[in-house]
Amino acid sequence: MHIKIALFKKGKTVIKEFLIYTIFIIILFTAVNLHYFFSKNSINRDSLTVAKVTKITEPSLSVGIFENRFLYLDKSFDNNVYPDMMSINKTGFVYEK
Amino acid sequence: MNELFLNNYVIVYLFSETVLFLMALYAFFKDIVILKYWDFESFSARQLKLEKQGYLLSTIATFIFALKFILLIYFVYMIDSLSIIIPGAMCGAGVISANSYGMPLLFIKLTTIFTFLLFLTLNNLDLKAKNYPLLKLKSWVLLAALLLIFLESFFDLSYLFNIDLSVPVSCCSALFGNLEGANPLPFGLNIKNLLILYYTLYIASVLAILLENRFLTAFTLILFAIISYYAVVYFFGTYIYQLPTHKCPFCMMQKEYYYVGYLVWGSLFIGLFFGLIWVIIGFLKYKNKTAKQIAIASISLFVVLCSSYVLFYYLKNGVFL
Amino acid sequence: MKNNSFFYFLTLNLLKEKRRYAGIVIISSLLIFLLSSVLFISSSIKQTLNYTLKAQPDFIVQNIKGGKVAPINSNMVNKILNIYGVEKVTKRVYGRYFFDDKYSTLIVGVDFLDEQSNKNLETLINSTDLKQFLSKEQMIIGQGVKNYLKTHYYNLEYNFLTPDGQMKNIKIFKTLSSKSAIISNDETIMPLKSAQKVLGLKENKITDIALNVPNDSEWQTVKAKLQSLNFNIRVISKKDMQKAYESLFNYKGGLFLVLFLIVIATFSLLLYLRYTLAASLERKEIAILRAVGWSIKDVLKLKFLENIFLVIFAFILGSSLAYIFVFVLNAPLLKNIFLGGSNLTNFAKFTPVVDYGVLSTIFIIFTVAFLSSVLIPVWKIAVTEPKEAL
Amino acid sequence: MVIIENLNKFYEIDGQKQYILNGINLSVQKGECVILKGVSGSGKTTLLSIIAGLDKPSSGKVIIDGEAVSKLPDMHLSKFRAKKIGIVFQNFNLLEGVNLLDNTMVPLIADKIGLKEAKDKALNALKLANIEHKANKIPSELSGGEKQRGAIARALVANPNLILCDEPTANLDRENSLKFISALKKLHSMGKTLIIATHDPIFEELDFKHKVVEISQGKIGFAVDA
């Protein structure tokens, strides 16, 4: 039923099916790590260059309602229960109308 | 209730702590039943049930211990990451001192982990013997550990609920920096004497363990841990940061210093814990070579790690800070 | 490995019950996939914003009228320059231009005569093209803007309608890479003068003023001095922004996490029930193991390791797939939760960020839920009386 | 080898003690072959399971090789069972979906043994039970007699001195029963102590038994030295 194959060392055996799953996971994991290793920061650098030119770093949100992009500065106290929380009608908490 | 409770780390931390609290509560009642009704000589159905429940308790204890250990690291990481939200804080030192619950909480966490480790060691010895000789003792230790969990949960909530995001906290330079005229070191030591004491205590602890003198080991190890705290904060830390004015036990856990703080404090506490466990089980007439070896290896790693920062700084720059 | 017969038996056991575990692994990885995707996106955006904060001026000075930002006189620049310790004072002109009542672009005016901007511009477009760019009135647009203009057949230029009713024709010079779209998707970069015209600002009016203070310890003093320049001045510091970004995305991540906790609680309950049910099926098998000499501890170890295997397998599978979904496929569907979907289509590419904090968060939440819900059923099955084998 | 002293097993139902075993005293020497006879429900299976440490007595003592097994904590009892006692069950009790070789290995695994060594030992045990040619078959592909031999191999794998059989021939035809008996003979010649609980008359013809113990209503009716 289960075929055992020798792995690496003599006398050490692993069930083939298990080996397949393990190798699959290892390949997936390695691929992700390689992608991460080669692509990290390349995207960031582009953003940084643009930000250096414009001197504006806010995220480019596709927000429906027009709002001043410095939303977070409106220190509004319109939520009496939780005055410390950002008010939900202004933060882009829900972007659509 | 504030913005803190929408932070990912805080949510996950509280969730995990709640689950562990519930498990501890369950284990607590089971443990009391065992303490009350345990009778090894009996053949009754209840006794058989209790013997089985002993395994449940040790499973829960192992589970809680493993998670508490991970959660301690997570907690420190969380505290560090909260420093962005909390005004005035530059690192975990500021956040932990945001209110008076912080430091005791950290201390309780360490004690809890130690107590669980002690329970697991006793449990292991107990199961190896043929007549459960340590059952009462280990059950009491477990009871203490579970009570510590309840205490910790209380402090957890008190701590997090009492952080006021509108009040700035002090940063580490204000907490640990040289105060005008006041000497922060204990027993009126200066840095030179502190270092002499540090190395002397290290050698004394290792010798005491090797000579199997348990009273001396306990005494020197505890003293060594206290002195080490000051030595790291006020001397070795400055070499890790390469800045004579930067005195902080928390910043070294940040990415800029390659998270070395976890290794520094981790090796110290692991050494201390295993040393003390060796002492305690020694009084119960058990020998545990592994605990002894871990204790020596761990505090040696700690000392070598700290000293090497100083050494490498000297080799690189030719001067001391 | 001295213990590898145990490991062998463990894998044998896992594969034997493959069907039973497959469902658990699939649901687990799906949950992990969802949670990791969301947290990966939020941490990636946060990281990008924090990274670009390097380019953010230390302070921004704005003129407030009726609680809203109003244009500020450009002669304020000279006043600010008089403050000691202040450096790189720059005029900023920006504002929203609405193509229609729904779609808008952020117009940013850049002073190309300024040496600093010029140098950065060189890296943005090739230096050989720079002269050509400056020779005419031209603009650089973001991916989202390009996409919108293209659907309206504006491939080479666009006629802006200024507030005083005039047409302003500007040629499109270049499109910004979608790699920078997190911040540049709806941006249009043009010369300062053109921007002033499009936004309807007079020549001596600008939107706000940015400045740097190299010495951190001067920040408080400089801030106070800026405040005292005029009563209706608002000063925003870099730190305020950092905090705002932090909480903006924490908020969403946190909210999602709370919802997720409810899901995971349900999952735990199902898992508990399933394992309790499985325990009755497995009784015979465990009783055999116990009868041939396995102790309770051995069975506990076997069952726990089985579950730890499942958790690790599901975790790696779920989080790797989430990584591919977010950073290779750019998170279709899910992206809009964070970036919004009602303005220009966002072409943002997420910077791959694997944050240990995020990973351990996912791992802890999942492991705690999973293992704690199977703990008691597993114990119950491990203490099966061996006499049941008879 | 096995000494049973005043062994009782009862359940309390409504305050009344229902005895399953009542005051059993028995001693078995090393190398002996003992047949526990009795009708179903006479308590012989319970006695066997108490000797094997699968069940706990309500009072009394079972001493095997100088060790009082009935009061041992689980960890020790299990280890003891793995090393010193081999059990052959009535319904064979092989793990489903696991091939015979792996099934035979099971008692060794808990003892932290290398895989190669475990497989070698299992193969040896299968040879001893004349079933090594079916080592890669799973139980559902085997006949009753083959399963029985697999069960013997598993009982032998850790080389125990005491082999307990619970109604070993109940699920076998006459031909296979005879084969089983010849296997028992082989074990007996190897010097193993055998205790067999059965009500199969085929064991009457056994030529190497030392003792026949009849159990009825939880008591030893009579014991005959053969």
Side-chain angles (χ1 to χ4, degrees), chain D residues 53-204:
Chain D
L54 304 179
D55 202 352
K56 301 263 180 192
S58 303
S59 67
K61 254 188 194 168
V62 176
I63 298 165
I64 300 176
D65 269 358
E67 185 93 63
V69 291
S70 41
K71 210 49 222 175
L72 277 180
D74 175 72
M75 278 244 287
H76 295 274
L77 185 56
S78 300
K79 204 175 252 178
F80 187 82
R81 198 156 55 219
K83 290 217 167 117
K84 301 262 171 92
I85 305 173
I87 309 171
V88 179
F89 299 94
Q90 176 181 357
N91 42 12
F92 322 126
N93 272 344
L94 296 172
L95 297 173
E96 289 303 322
V98 176
N99 71 28
L100 211 48
L101 183 67
D102 294 338
N103 249 308
T104 315
M105 261 165 54
V106 168
L108 300 173
I109 288 168
D111 200 32
K112 295 188 176 166
I113 188 172
L115 183 58
K116 181 109 173 55
E117 201 187 339
K119 288 211 163 166
D120 286 348
K121 280 190 175 177
L123 217 54
N124 270 336
L126 286 171
K127 260 180 208 152
L128 218 59
N130 278 328
I131 190 74
E132 83 271 22
H133 56 286
K134 299 272 172 150
N136 285 323
K137 294 273 187 287
I138 56 169
S140 57
E141 297 167 339
L142 298 172
S143 71
E146 286 166 339
K147 279 188 207 169
Q148 179 70 291
R149 275 180 275 161
I152 295 175
R154 187 178 61 187
L156 284 176
V157 73
N159 198 19
N161 278 324
L162 179 61
I163 309 271
L164 304 173
C165 306
D166 177 38
E167 303 276 7
T169 55
N171 292 335
L172 299 179
D173 54 19
R174 189 170 166 81
E175 192 194 342
N176 275 317
S177 299
L178 288 173
K179 272 189 187 167
F180 175 74
I181 285 176
S182 66
L184 277 187
K185 194 166 182 180
K186 199 168 161 188
L187 295 182
H188 178 69
S189 66
M190 286 161 71
K192 310 270 183 208
T193 313
L194 303 170
I195 300 180
I196 302 152
T198 184
H199 63 273
D200 193 341
I202 202 167
F203 285 90
E204 304 278 332

Side-chain angles (χ1 to χ4, degrees), chain A residues 43-83:
Chain A
I43 295 172
N44 270 344
R45 271 196 295 276
D46 282 45
S47 300
L48 186 65
T49 326
V50 174
K52 271 183 178 163
V53 172
T54 58
K55 295 202 170 61
I56 290 174
T57 58
E58 295 98 284
S60 174
L61 302 174
S62 294
V63 182
I65 340 149
F66 175 73
E67 44 192 5
N68 189 333
R69 294 238 284 183
F70 292 116
L71 341 142
Y72 36 81
L73 279 169
D74 290 37
K75 178 91 182 165
S76 55
F77 288 94
D78 45 7
N79 188 337
N80 294 324
V81 188
Y82 302 124

Side-chain angles (χ1 to χ4, degrees), chain C residues 157-302:
Chain C
E157 54 183 15
Y158 184 73
N159 293 319
F160 288 98
L161 187 64
T162 64
D164 46 9
Q166 286 173 336
M167 283 291 192
K168 178 85 189 158
N169 178 290
I170 299 179
K171 300 233 161 8
I172 299 170
F173 179 74
K174 193 182 182 265
T175 312
L176 290 166
S177 150
S178 62
K179 282 184 177 174
S180 62
I182 290 266
I183 65 162
S184 71
N185 187 60
D186 64 349
E187 270 177 9
T188 301
I189 301 172
M190 55 173 72
L192 197 80
K193 290 245 157 68
S194 325
Q196 277 174 325
K197 243 172 226 151
V198 172
L199 297 170
L201 289 170
K202 282 179 192 144
E203 260 192 47
N204 62 341
K205 292 278 184 185
I206 49 179
T207 316
D208 55 26
I209 299 169
L211 57 111
N212 276 1
V213 178
N215 185 355
D216 304 8
S217 44
E218 290 277 336
W219 280 17
Q220 283 306 324
T221 339
V222 171
K223 194 173 176 180
K225 280 186 182 170
L226 289 170
Q227 292 280 19
S228 62
L229 281 177
N230 202 342
F231 66 94
N232 57 352
I233 264 182
R234 176 161 74 184
V235 183
I236 306 158
S237 77
K238 196 170 174 171
K239 213 149 185 231
D240 295 335
M241 298 209 168
Q242 193 184 2
K243 246 173 93 176
Y245 295 155
E246 185 72 25
S247 32
L248 181 61
F249 290 98
N250 253 350
Y251 226 54
K252 293 208 167 182
L255 220 67
F256 192 87
L257 202 63
V258 172
L259 290 179
F260 187 81
L261 279 183
I262 298 166
V263 175
I264 215 156
T266 323
F267 173 69
S268 303
L269 191 68
L270 285 176
L271 211 59
Y272 176 81
L273 293 175
R274 177 142 185 81
Y275 270 68
T276 315
L277 182 74
S280 62
L281 300 172
E282 265 183 282
R283 279 191 97 80
K284 179 84 181 171
E285 197 167 307
I286 299 301
I288 297 173
L289 290 182
R290 298 268 286 116
V292 300
W294 285 48
S295 63
I296 295 178
K297 217 178 163 185
D298 294 325
V299 180
L300 275 174
K301 194 168 123 194
L302 177 77

Side-chain angles (χ1 to χ4, degrees), chain B residues 68-78 262:
Chain B
K68 277 286 168 192
F69 185 73
I70 297 172
L71 279 175
L72 176 68
I73 299 172
Y74 193 74
F75 178 75
V76 175
Y77 190 87
M78 173 184 104
Y262 290 101

